[in-house]
């Protein structure tokens, strides 16, 4: 518990202190957000708002994670380092995307192929890594099984698991990216998801098969350290939200959204809750589904289901205030997270 509190506290402080000078630097070099011409017209006022605020989230989270290990005098675990690798690696891909947008003064950065290649390179490194490094109990950071509340079904071949992990990584990182369209929306939703993983990591530690071979015990390799990772990112996101709340003084950009999406799926794979992520990140799923439905409907019938996709822009065009949309979507995400935690707890209860 000390490590979790230390990680969140250090990350919160570091990210919060870093934000003001980062905003000034980004303003000075005119690293501002480019707004799409086909987006809601109300967003034109956000043109030039500093972006790449994800730098502060990532830096604060990494310092918080390793700082917590310094406080507790414990070494980082393989599971924690691999999730941090995925987090930072996808953040670097997002940084390149943001930088190109700013440098070329356009709303599109990396070409889709180059962006996908970056996600694949980082994702393959993570996916292969989690199948290695067994501890003395032969537990690896991840497993080649599918998982919902724990592993189930037969194991996959490593190459098939790598493909499955890549699908999760690309889908989740892009889902958070799509959600990052209104001030504070993606940040608040991510905070709620990270709270779930702090709880899950703690829970799995207390019911670990290493401590007692109970019928419902967990074979997760490093549950406490995964909770520390989630807590570190939680602190960084809370600090960022202070400056990202409407009207935002800074945006996280693809630097933050791709990194946070990667972090969530990394935690899902290493805590053996891959499919539960669909509930923990329920808002991200809804928003991504709205884009798929919109594109599919338009290509098949020539008609649009929503006034604009992603979903949050549909409600903007219906006249909802931005703050109203953000708060209501946070409530929806909170309900998803509560449902996920309830499912996790009810499955564990002895029958």
């Amino acid at each position: 518990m000390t490590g979790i509190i230390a990680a969140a506290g250090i990350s919160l402080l570091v990210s919060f202190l870093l934000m003001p000078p980062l905003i000034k630097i980004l303003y000075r070099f005119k690293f501002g957000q480019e707004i799409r011409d086909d987006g809601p017209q109300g967003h034109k006022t956000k043109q030039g708002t500093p972006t790449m605020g994800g730098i502060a989230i990532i830096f604060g989270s990494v310092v918080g994670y390793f700082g917590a290990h310094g406080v507790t005098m414990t070494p980082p675990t393989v599971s924690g380092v691999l999730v941090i690798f995925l987090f930072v690696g996808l953040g670097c891909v997002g940084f390149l995307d943001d930088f190109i947008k700013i440098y070329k003064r356009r709303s599109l950065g990396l070409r889709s192929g180059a962006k996908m290649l970056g996600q694949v390179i980082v994702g393959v490194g993570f996916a292969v890594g989690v199948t290695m490094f067994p501890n003395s109990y032969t537990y690896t950071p991840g497993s080649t099984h599918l998982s919902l509340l724990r592993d189930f079904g037969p194991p996959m071949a490593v190459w098939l698991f790598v493909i499955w992990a890549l699908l999760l990584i690309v889908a989740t990182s892009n889902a958070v990216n799509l959600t990052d369209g209104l001030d504070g929306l993606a940040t608040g939703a991510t905070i709620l998801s990270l709270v779930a993983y702090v709880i899950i990591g703690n829970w799995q530690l207390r019911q670990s098969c290493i401590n007692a071979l109970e019928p419902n015990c967990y074979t997760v390799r490093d549950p406490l350290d995964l909770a520390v990772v989630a807590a570190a990112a939680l602190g960084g996101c809370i600090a960022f939200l202070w400056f990202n709340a409407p009207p935002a003084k800074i945006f996280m950009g693809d630097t933050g959204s791709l990194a946070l999406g990667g972090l969530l799926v990394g935690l899902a794979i290493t805590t053996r809750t891959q499919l539960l992520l669909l509930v923990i990140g329920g808002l991200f799923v809804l928003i991504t589904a709205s884009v798929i439905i919109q594109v599919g409907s338009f290509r098949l019938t020539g008609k649009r289901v929503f006034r604009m996709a992603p979903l949050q822009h549909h409600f903007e065009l219906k006249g909802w205030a931005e703050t109203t949309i953000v708060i209501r979507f946070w409530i929806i995400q909170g309900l998803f997270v509560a449902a996920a935690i309830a499912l996790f707890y009810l499955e564990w209860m002895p029958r």
Side-chain angles (χ1 to χ4, degrees), residues 42-59:
H43 287 204
K44 291 295 183 182
T45 59
K46 301 180 182 184
Q47 180 84 20
T49 302
T51 188
M52 295 196 293
I55 293 171
I57 299 174
I58 295 169
F59 184 79

Side-chain angles (χ1 to χ4, degrees), residues 157-171:
V158 172
W159 65 268
L160 185 59
F161 169 76
V162 170
I163 293 173
W164 167 244
L166 281 176
L167 288 174
L168 291 176
I169 290 166
V170 172

Side-chain angles (χ1 to χ4, degrees), residues 145-164:
H145 294 264
L146 289 175
S147 60
L148 176 60
L149 305 172
R150 60 181 74 241
D151 289 343
F152 67 88
M156 292 180 270
V158 172
W159 65 268
L160 185 59
F161 169 76
V162 170
I163 293 173
W164 167 244

Side-chain angles (χ1 to χ4, degrees), residues 56 122 140 151-152 172 187 200 206 212 237 251 311 318 330 340 342:
V122 176
T140 53
D151 289 343
F152 67 88
T172 308
T187 313
I200 287 171
R206 298 177 188 281
C237 286
F251 301 137
L311 188 61
K318 287 191 68 175
W330 282 354

